[in-house]
Amino acid sequence: MDQQHKLLTAEAFEHALRAKGAYYHIHHPYHIAMHNGQATREQIQGWVANRFYYQTSIPLKDAAIMANCPDPQTRRKWVQRILDHDGYGDNEGGIEAWLRLGEAVGLERDALLSEEKVLPGVRFAVDAYVNFARRAGWQEAACSSLTELFAPQIHQARLDTWPQHYQWIEAEGYGYFRSRLSQANRDVEHGLQLALEYCNTVEKQQRMLEILQFKLDILWSMLDAMSMAYELHRPPYHTVTQQPVWHRGKLL
């Protein structure tokens, strides 16, 4: 039997999941440029504005997972992800923190909330993620979040390098990255536990690796769309008009 068709031990399966980090969007040229201080103001602003659509969609994705999950214990843990983004009590949440990041890079709050700067490629990628969470079994949808395995590294890298490279960004804008350092580690522990418990057959293990690749594809495709618009200066319809004529908002 070929090795890839054998049931992996829990340790080997976790290793296979973590090996997918080779395709995390931290390795995308757009992200490498931001990390190295080579991104322009427009490129930073474009990334913040488009990534905001992803941030606001995360609670929708998590609510869809909870709606499909019959296990109260899992829901009690998973609901924290929604609260982390939407806020609760005195905690304003990650979406508000991202709005402050937008203001710190010179974007108007209303421009972010209107989604007017969201590129079609980004919208399609993010919507595919939310729709997957709505339609897939809750275990598969939950484990699609395992790109969090690689997230603490990316948040720490921004905190380490952006203040040096982009001194024009106001310091209070970095609150989101700081908060996610601990939140992402907590979420990883829960998500990984679910994956290791659920994927107890060869078929489930292989499908989960494919689902994780699907999520990596989403993150990479978002940066591809931004590269076209803000690096190559080829936004949608650039051969027809210089105006951003693409559709705004959710149609369904």
Side-chain angles (χ1 to χ4, degrees), residues 46 48-54 56 111-124 126-127 222 225-226 230 236 244 246-249:
V48 170
N50 279 272
R51 181 79 181 189
F52 182 67
Y53 185 65
Y54 178 84
T56 58
L112 289 174
L113 292 170
S114 71
E115 302 177 2
E116 64 187 46
K117 296 183 180 295
V118 179
L119 297 164
V122 170
R123 186 180 295 278
F124 297 151
V126 174
D127 288 354
M222 290 169 62
M226 290 181 236
Y230 307 124
W246 52 84
H247 74 286
R248 309 289 200 275

Side-chain angles (χ1 to χ4, degrees), residues 13 198-209:
F13 182 51
Y198 174 70
C199 297
N200 55 5
T201 67
V202 173
E203 292 74 20
K204 287 181 178 179
Q205 287 182 345
Q206 293 304 311
R207 180 166 169 81
M208 197 57 67
L209 289 168

Side-chain angles (χ1 to χ4, degrees), residues 66 69-79:
M66 291 183 60
C69 176
D71 178 38
Q73 184 176 357
T74 298
R75 293 199 303 266
R76 282 195 294 268
K77 288 186 178 181
W78 206 269
V79 72

Side-chain angles (χ1 to χ4, degrees), residues 9-190:
T9 65
E11 181 180 2
F13 182 51
E14 179 177 346
H15 178 77
L17 291 169
R18 292 186 181 277
K20 287 289 187 180
Y23 311 110
Y24 194 46
H25 62 163
I26 196 172
H27 303 297
H28 193 286
Y30 196 99
H31 202 282
I32 291 172
M34 289 196 297
H35 175 76
N36 291 339
Q38 299 166 337
T40 65
R41 184 182 295 256
E42 179 194 26
Q43 288 162 3
I44 293 288
Q45 290 179 339
W47 178 78
V48 170
N50 279 272
R51 181 79 181 189
F52 182 67
Y53 185 65
Y54 178 84
Q55 301 304 132
T56 58
S57 296
I58 290 176
L60 303 181
K61 175 267 297 183
D62 288 324
I65 292 171
M66 291 183 60
N68 291 331
C69 176
D71 178 38
Q73 184 176 357
T74 298
R75 293 199 303 266
R76 282 195 294 268
K77 288 186 178 181
W78 206 269
V79 72
Q80 186 61 50
R81 297 170 182 246
I82 297 177
L83 298 176
D84 286 343
H85 281 81
D86 286 346
Y88 61 96
D90 295 331
N91 183 339
E92 292 182 318
I95 291 175
E96 176 61 28
W98 199 274
L99 284 167
R100 291 182 178 177
L101 173 62
E103 292 173 330
V105 301
L107 295 170
E108 295 291 335
R109 176 177 289 243
D110 288 345
L112 289 174
L113 292 170
S114 71
E115 302 177 2
E116 64 187 46
K117 296 183 180 295
V118 179
L119 297 164
V122 170
R123 186 180 295 278
F124 297 151
V126 174
D127 288 354
Y129 185 33
V130 175
N131 288 331
F132 175 80
R134 287 173 175 157
R135 299 176 63 183
W138 73 266
Q139 296 98 330
E140 291 187 347
C143 295
S144 69
S145 299
L146 279 175
T147 47
E148 293 160 341
L149 287 166
F150 324 117
Q153 176 189 0
I154 209 170
H155 296 312
Q156 188 62 60
R158 291 170 188 149
L159 291 170
D160 290 342
T161 62
W162 280 31
Q164 303 171 35
H165 295 317
Y166 309 110
Q167 296 182 17
W168 52 272
I169 298 178
E170 298 175 5
E172 56 267 27
Y174 293 119
Y176 178 85
F177 303 139
R178 284 191 293 270
S179 67
R180 286 304 296 167
L181 288 175
S182 59
Q183 292 171 357
N185 282 320
R186 179 206 64 210
D187 292 345
V188 163
E189 182 178 350
H190 185 213

Side-chain angles (χ1 to χ4, degrees), residues 189-246:
E189 182 178 350
H190 185 213
L192 189 57
Q193 177 189 359
L194 288 174
L196 296 178
E197 291 176 355
Y198 174 70
C199 297
N200 55 5
T201 67
V202 173
E203 292 74 20
K204 287 181 178 179
Q205 287 182 345
Q206 293 304 311
R207 180 166 169 81
M208 197 57 67
L209 289 168
E210 187 71 3
I211 288 171
L212 181 54
Q213 185 62 57
F214 160 73
K215 174 63 182 306
L216 292 164
D217 294 348
I218 287 168
L219 297 172
W220 197 275
S221 296
M222 290 169 62
L223 290 179
D224 281 347
M226 290 181 236
S227 293
M228 288 293 293
Y230 307 124
E231 285 189 309
L232 301 180
H233 304 292
R234 291 184 174 187
Y237 310 106
H238 69 279
T239 58
V240 179
T241 178
Q242 296 301 307
Q243 300 300 314
V245 297
W246 52 84

